[in-house]
Short mmCIF file of all heavy atoms in Angstrom, two decimals:
data_model
loop_
_atom_site.label_atom_id
_atom_site.label_comp_id
_atom_site.label_asym_id
_atom_site.label_seq_id
_atom_site.Cartn_x
_atom_site.Cartn_y
_atom_site.Cartn_z
N LEU A 1 45.02 -167.55 -23.05
CA LEU A 1 44.88 -168.73 -23.90
C LEU A 1 43.46 -169.27 -23.87
O LEU A 1 43.00 -169.84 -24.86
CB LEU A 1 45.87 -169.82 -23.47
CG LEU A 1 47.16 -169.87 -24.30
CD1 LEU A 1 46.88 -170.36 -25.71
CD2 LEU A 1 47.84 -168.51 -24.35
N GLY A 2 42.75 -169.05 -22.77
CA GLY A 2 41.35 -169.44 -22.74
C GLY A 2 40.52 -168.67 -23.75
O GLY A 2 39.54 -169.19 -24.28
N ALA A 3 40.93 -167.43 -24.02
CA ALA A 3 40.25 -166.63 -25.04
C ALA A 3 40.77 -166.94 -26.44
O ALA A 3 40.01 -167.03 -27.39
CB ALA A 3 40.43 -165.14 -24.73
N GLU A 4 42.08 -167.11 -26.57
CA GLU A 4 42.69 -167.37 -27.87
C GLU A 4 42.42 -168.78 -28.38
O GLU A 4 42.17 -168.99 -29.57
CB GLU A 4 44.21 -167.19 -27.78
CG GLU A 4 44.70 -165.78 -27.77
CD GLU A 4 46.22 -165.72 -27.87
OE1 GLU A 4 46.89 -166.77 -27.81
OE2 GLU A 4 46.73 -164.60 -28.00
N ALA A 5 42.55 -169.74 -27.48
CA ALA A 5 42.47 -171.16 -27.87
C ALA A 5 41.72 -171.94 -26.81
O ALA A 5 42.31 -172.74 -26.07
CB ALA A 5 43.87 -171.73 -28.08
N PRO A 6 40.41 -171.71 -26.69
CA PRO A 6 39.65 -172.37 -25.63
C PRO A 6 39.68 -173.88 -25.69
O PRO A 6 39.46 -174.55 -24.68
CB PRO A 6 38.22 -171.82 -25.82
CG PRO A 6 38.19 -171.33 -27.23
CD PRO A 6 39.56 -170.84 -27.54
N GLU A 7 39.95 -174.42 -26.88
CA GLU A 7 40.01 -175.88 -27.00
C GLU A 7 41.23 -176.47 -26.31
O GLU A 7 41.29 -177.68 -26.05
CB GLU A 7 40.02 -176.28 -28.48
CG GLU A 7 41.29 -175.98 -29.24
CD GLU A 7 41.46 -174.52 -29.64
OE1 GLU A 7 40.54 -173.70 -29.36
OE2 GLU A 7 42.49 -174.17 -30.25
N CYS A 8 42.24 -175.63 -25.99
CA CYS A 8 43.47 -176.14 -25.40
C CYS A 8 43.24 -176.62 -23.97
O CYS A 8 43.67 -177.70 -23.58
CB CYS A 8 44.56 -175.08 -25.45
SG CYS A 8 46.12 -175.61 -24.70
N GLY A 9 42.60 -175.79 -23.14
CA GLY A 9 42.33 -176.18 -21.77
C GLY A 9 43.52 -176.04 -20.84
O GLY A 9 43.62 -176.76 -19.84
N LEU A 10 44.42 -175.12 -21.14
CA LEU A 10 45.62 -174.95 -20.32
C LEU A 10 45.28 -174.34 -18.97
O LEU A 10 44.55 -173.35 -18.89
CB LEU A 10 46.62 -174.05 -21.05
CG LEU A 10 47.96 -173.83 -20.35
CD1 LEU A 10 48.80 -175.10 -20.38
CD2 LEU A 10 48.71 -172.66 -20.98
N GLY A 11 45.84 -174.89 -17.90
CA GLY A 11 45.64 -174.35 -16.56
C GLY A 11 46.84 -173.55 -16.09
O GLY A 11 47.98 -173.80 -16.50
N TRP A 12 46.61 -172.59 -15.20
CA TRP A 12 47.70 -171.78 -14.67
C TRP A 12 48.70 -172.65 -13.93
O TRP A 12 49.90 -172.35 -13.91
CB TRP A 12 47.17 -170.70 -13.73
CG TRP A 12 46.57 -171.22 -12.46
CD1 TRP A 12 45.26 -171.50 -12.22
CD2 TRP A 12 47.28 -171.58 -11.26
NE1 TRP A 12 45.10 -171.99 -10.94
CE2 TRP A 12 46.32 -172.05 -10.33
CE3 TRP A 12 48.62 -171.53 -10.88
CZ2 TRP A 12 46.66 -172.49 -9.05
CZ3 TRP A 12 48.97 -171.97 -9.60
CH2 TRP A 12 47.99 -172.44 -8.70
N ASN A 13 48.22 -173.75 -13.32
CA ASN A 13 49.12 -174.58 -12.52
C ASN A 13 50.16 -175.31 -13.38
O ASN A 13 51.23 -175.64 -12.89
CB ASN A 13 48.35 -175.56 -11.65
CG ASN A 13 47.37 -176.42 -12.44
OD1 ASN A 13 46.60 -175.92 -13.26
ND2 ASN A 13 47.38 -177.72 -12.19
N THR A 14 49.86 -175.55 -14.66
CA THR A 14 50.87 -176.12 -15.54
C THR A 14 52.01 -175.12 -15.76
O THR A 14 53.20 -175.47 -15.68
CB THR A 14 50.26 -176.53 -16.89
OG1 THR A 14 49.41 -177.65 -16.68
CG2 THR A 14 51.33 -176.88 -17.91
N LEU A 15 51.66 -173.87 -16.02
CA LEU A 15 52.70 -172.85 -16.19
C LEU A 15 53.48 -172.67 -14.90
O LEU A 15 54.71 -172.48 -14.92
CB LEU A 15 52.06 -171.53 -16.63
CG LEU A 15 51.37 -171.58 -17.99
CD1 LEU A 15 50.60 -170.29 -18.24
CD2 LEU A 15 52.38 -171.83 -19.11
N ALA A 16 52.79 -172.75 -13.76
CA ALA A 16 53.48 -172.65 -12.48
C ALA A 16 54.42 -173.83 -12.27
O ALA A 16 55.51 -173.68 -11.71
CB ALA A 16 52.47 -172.58 -11.34
N GLY A 17 54.02 -175.02 -12.74
CA GLY A 17 54.91 -176.17 -12.66
C GLY A 17 56.17 -175.97 -13.47
O GLY A 17 57.28 -176.28 -13.01
N LEU A 18 56.03 -175.42 -14.68
CA LEU A 18 57.21 -175.11 -15.49
C LEU A 18 58.10 -174.10 -14.78
O LEU A 18 59.32 -174.26 -14.70
CB LEU A 18 56.79 -174.54 -16.84
CG LEU A 18 56.11 -175.48 -17.83
CD1 LEU A 18 55.74 -174.69 -19.09
CD2 LEU A 18 56.97 -176.66 -18.19
N GLY A 19 57.49 -173.02 -14.27
CA GLY A 19 58.26 -171.99 -13.60
C GLY A 19 58.99 -172.49 -12.37
O GLY A 19 60.11 -172.06 -12.08
N ALA A 20 58.37 -173.44 -11.65
CA ALA A 20 59.01 -174.00 -10.47
C ALA A 20 60.26 -174.78 -10.83
O ALA A 20 61.32 -174.62 -10.21
CB ALA A 20 58.03 -174.92 -9.73
N ILE A 21 60.16 -175.61 -11.86
CA ILE A 21 61.28 -176.46 -12.23
C ILE A 21 62.39 -175.66 -12.92
O ILE A 21 63.57 -175.90 -12.70
CB ILE A 21 60.81 -177.60 -13.14
CG1 ILE A 21 59.73 -178.45 -12.43
CG2 ILE A 21 61.97 -178.48 -13.59
CD1 ILE A 21 60.16 -179.00 -11.09
N GLU A 22 62.01 -174.71 -13.75
CA GLU A 22 63.02 -173.98 -14.52
C GLU A 22 63.81 -172.97 -13.70
O GLU A 22 65.01 -172.81 -13.91
CB GLU A 22 62.35 -173.28 -15.72
CG GLU A 22 61.77 -174.21 -16.77
CD GLU A 22 62.83 -175.01 -17.51
OE1 GLU A 22 64.04 -174.77 -17.31
OE2 GLU A 22 62.44 -175.88 -18.30
N SER A 23 63.15 -172.25 -12.78
CA SER A 23 63.88 -171.17 -12.11
C SER A 23 63.36 -170.84 -10.71
O SER A 23 63.70 -169.79 -10.18
CB SER A 23 63.80 -169.88 -12.95
OG SER A 23 62.48 -169.34 -12.89
N ASP A 24 62.56 -171.75 -10.11
CA ASP A 24 61.93 -171.43 -8.82
C ASP A 24 61.19 -170.10 -8.92
O ASP A 24 61.33 -169.22 -8.09
CB ASP A 24 62.97 -171.39 -7.71
CG ASP A 24 62.35 -171.27 -6.32
OD1 ASP A 24 61.17 -171.65 -6.16
OD2 ASP A 24 63.04 -170.79 -5.40
N HIS A 25 60.42 -169.95 -10.01
CA HIS A 25 59.59 -168.76 -10.23
C HIS A 25 60.41 -167.46 -10.24
O HIS A 25 60.02 -166.45 -9.67
CB HIS A 25 58.48 -168.66 -9.18
CG HIS A 25 57.72 -169.93 -8.98
ND1 HIS A 25 56.95 -170.48 -9.98
CD2 HIS A 25 57.62 -170.78 -7.92
CE1 HIS A 25 56.41 -171.61 -9.54
NE2 HIS A 25 56.80 -171.81 -8.30
N GLY A 26 61.53 -167.52 -10.94
CA GLY A 26 62.35 -166.32 -11.07
C GLY A 26 63.25 -166.02 -9.90
O GLY A 26 63.78 -164.91 -9.79
N ARG A 27 63.47 -167.02 -9.02
CA ARG A 27 64.26 -166.79 -7.81
C ARG A 27 65.56 -167.59 -7.80
O ARG A 27 66.25 -167.61 -6.76
CB ARG A 27 63.43 -167.13 -6.57
CG ARG A 27 62.19 -166.28 -6.44
CD ARG A 27 61.33 -166.66 -5.25
NE ARG A 27 60.78 -168.01 -5.38
CZ ARG A 27 59.86 -168.51 -4.56
NH1 ARG A 27 59.40 -167.77 -3.55
NH2 ARG A 27 59.40 -169.74 -4.73
N HIS A 28 65.91 -168.20 -8.91
CA HIS A 28 67.12 -169.02 -8.94
C HIS A 28 68.37 -168.19 -8.65
O HIS A 28 68.51 -167.06 -9.11
CB HIS A 28 67.28 -169.67 -10.32
CG HIS A 28 68.59 -170.38 -10.48
ND1 HIS A 28 68.84 -171.61 -9.93
CD2 HIS A 28 69.73 -170.01 -11.10
CE1 HIS A 28 70.07 -171.98 -10.22
NE2 HIS A 28 70.64 -171.02 -10.93
N GLY A 29 69.28 -168.78 -7.89
CA GLY A 29 70.57 -168.14 -7.64
C GLY A 29 70.49 -166.84 -6.89
O GLY A 29 71.39 -166.00 -7.02
N GLY A 30 69.44 -166.66 -6.11
CA GLY A 30 69.30 -165.43 -5.35
C GLY A 30 68.64 -164.28 -6.08
O GLY A 30 68.55 -163.17 -5.56
N SER A 31 68.17 -164.53 -7.31
CA SER A 31 67.45 -163.47 -8.03
C SER A 31 66.15 -163.14 -7.31
O SER A 31 65.55 -163.98 -6.63
CB SER A 31 67.14 -163.91 -9.46
OG SER A 31 68.31 -163.94 -10.25
N VAL A 32 65.70 -161.92 -7.48
CA VAL A 32 64.45 -161.45 -6.88
C VAL A 32 63.52 -161.03 -8.00
O VAL A 32 63.91 -160.24 -8.88
CB VAL A 32 64.70 -160.27 -5.92
CG1 VAL A 32 63.37 -159.73 -5.38
CG2 VAL A 32 65.61 -160.71 -4.76
N LEU A 33 62.31 -161.55 -8.00
CA LEU A 33 61.34 -161.21 -9.02
C LEU A 33 60.69 -159.88 -8.68
O LEU A 33 59.99 -159.76 -7.66
CB LEU A 33 60.28 -162.30 -9.13
CG LEU A 33 59.25 -162.17 -10.25
CD1 LEU A 33 59.93 -162.21 -11.62
CD2 LEU A 33 58.20 -163.27 -10.15
N GLY A 34 60.94 -158.86 -9.50
CA GLY A 34 60.43 -157.53 -9.22
C GLY A 34 58.98 -157.34 -9.61
O GLY A 34 58.39 -158.16 -10.33
N GLU A 35 58.40 -156.25 -9.16
CA GLU A 35 57.02 -155.93 -9.51
C GLU A 35 56.85 -155.68 -11.00
O GLU A 35 55.75 -155.77 -11.53
CB GLU A 35 56.54 -154.71 -8.72
CG GLU A 35 56.24 -155.02 -7.25
CD GLU A 35 55.21 -156.12 -7.10
OE1 GLU A 35 54.14 -156.04 -7.75
OE2 GLU A 35 55.47 -157.08 -6.35
N ASP A 36 57.95 -155.37 -11.69
CA ASP A 36 57.88 -155.19 -13.14
C ASP A 36 57.92 -156.52 -13.89
O ASP A 36 57.84 -156.55 -15.12
CB ASP A 36 59.02 -154.28 -13.63
CG ASP A 36 60.41 -154.85 -13.32
OD1 ASP A 36 60.52 -155.93 -12.70
OD2 ASP A 36 61.39 -154.18 -13.71
N GLY A 37 58.05 -157.63 -13.16
CA GLY A 37 58.07 -158.94 -13.79
C GLY A 37 59.44 -159.44 -14.17
O GLY A 37 59.58 -160.55 -14.69
N PHE A 38 60.49 -158.66 -13.89
CA PHE A 38 61.85 -159.04 -14.26
C PHE A 38 62.62 -159.52 -13.04
O PHE A 38 62.66 -158.82 -12.02
CB PHE A 38 62.60 -157.85 -14.87
CG PHE A 38 62.17 -157.50 -16.27
CD1 PHE A 38 61.00 -156.78 -16.50
CD2 PHE A 38 62.94 -157.88 -17.36
CE1 PHE A 38 60.60 -156.45 -17.79
CE2 PHE A 38 62.57 -157.56 -18.65
CZ PHE A 38 61.39 -156.85 -18.87
N PRO A 39 63.26 -160.69 -13.10
CA PRO A 39 64.16 -161.09 -12.02
C PRO A 39 65.42 -160.24 -12.04
O PRO A 39 65.93 -159.89 -13.11
CB PRO A 39 64.50 -162.55 -12.34
CG PRO A 39 63.53 -162.98 -13.40
CD PRO A 39 63.15 -161.72 -14.14
N ALA A 40 65.92 -159.91 -10.86
CA ALA A 40 67.19 -159.18 -10.77
C ALA A 40 68.08 -159.92 -9.79
O ALA A 40 67.69 -160.16 -8.64
CB ALA A 40 66.94 -157.75 -10.31
N PRO A 41 69.31 -160.29 -10.20
CA PRO A 41 69.82 -160.14 -11.56
C PRO A 41 69.11 -161.06 -12.54
O PRO A 41 68.41 -161.99 -12.13
CB PRO A 41 71.30 -160.51 -11.42
CG PRO A 41 71.33 -161.44 -10.25
CD PRO A 41 70.29 -160.94 -9.30
N ALA A 42 69.32 -160.79 -13.84
CA ALA A 42 68.72 -161.63 -14.87
C ALA A 42 69.23 -163.06 -14.75
O ALA A 42 70.36 -163.30 -14.31
CB ALA A 42 69.06 -161.06 -16.25
N ILE A 43 68.39 -164.00 -15.12
CA ILE A 43 68.72 -165.42 -15.00
C ILE A 43 69.19 -165.95 -16.35
O ILE A 43 68.48 -165.82 -17.35
CB ILE A 43 67.50 -166.22 -14.51
CG1 ILE A 43 67.06 -165.72 -13.13
CG2 ILE A 43 67.81 -167.71 -14.46
CD1 ILE A 43 65.75 -166.31 -12.64
N ARG A 44 70.38 -166.53 -16.36
CA ARG A 44 70.95 -167.10 -17.57
C ARG A 44 71.49 -168.50 -17.29
O ARG A 44 72.07 -168.75 -16.23
CB ARG A 44 72.10 -166.24 -18.12
CG ARG A 44 71.64 -164.91 -18.67
CD ARG A 44 70.86 -165.08 -19.97
NE ARG A 44 70.41 -163.80 -20.51
CZ ARG A 44 69.24 -163.24 -20.20
NH1 ARG A 44 68.43 -163.83 -19.35
NH2 ARG A 44 68.90 -162.10 -20.75
N GLY A 45 71.30 -169.39 -18.25
CA GLY A 45 71.93 -170.69 -18.17
C GLY A 45 73.38 -170.60 -18.60
O GLY A 45 73.86 -169.55 -19.02
N PRO A 46 74.11 -171.72 -18.51
CA PRO A 46 75.52 -171.71 -18.92
C PRO A 46 75.65 -171.53 -20.42
O PRO A 46 74.72 -171.81 -21.19
CB PRO A 46 76.01 -173.10 -18.49
CG PRO A 46 74.78 -173.95 -18.49
CD PRO A 46 73.67 -173.05 -18.03
N ALA A 47 76.81 -171.06 -20.84
CA ALA A 47 77.09 -170.96 -22.27
C ALA A 47 76.99 -172.33 -22.91
O ALA A 47 77.57 -173.30 -22.41
CB ALA A 47 78.48 -170.36 -22.48
N LEU A 48 76.28 -172.42 -24.00
CA LEU A 48 76.11 -173.69 -24.70
C LEU A 48 77.28 -173.86 -25.67
O LEU A 48 77.15 -173.71 -26.88
CB LEU A 48 74.76 -173.71 -25.40
CG LEU A 48 73.58 -173.51 -24.44
CD1 LEU A 48 72.26 -173.47 -25.20
CD2 LEU A 48 73.55 -174.58 -23.38
#
């Protein structure tokens, strides 16, 4: 985003803040974040 939209000024720590609140960085419910970037098992919210 620094290259795409330098005027935005987005920091990595903001994205980390989102990841912490949404899923504990891909570790919610015992999921493990793999080296491929995918949590296993996949993380899903309840049926809406």
Side-chain angles (χ1 to χ4, degrees):
L1 262 291
E4 283 188 352
E7 71 283 358
C8 179
L10 182 72
W12 67 266
N13 54 313
T14 290
L15 297 171
L18 291 178
I21 301 305
E22 294 293 354
S23 72
D24 189 23
H25 311 296
R27 299 177 295 189
H28 172 77
S31 288
V32 176
L33 186 62
E35 285 303 310
D36 60 359
F38 286 78
I43 299 172
R44 291 290 180 271
L48 302 177

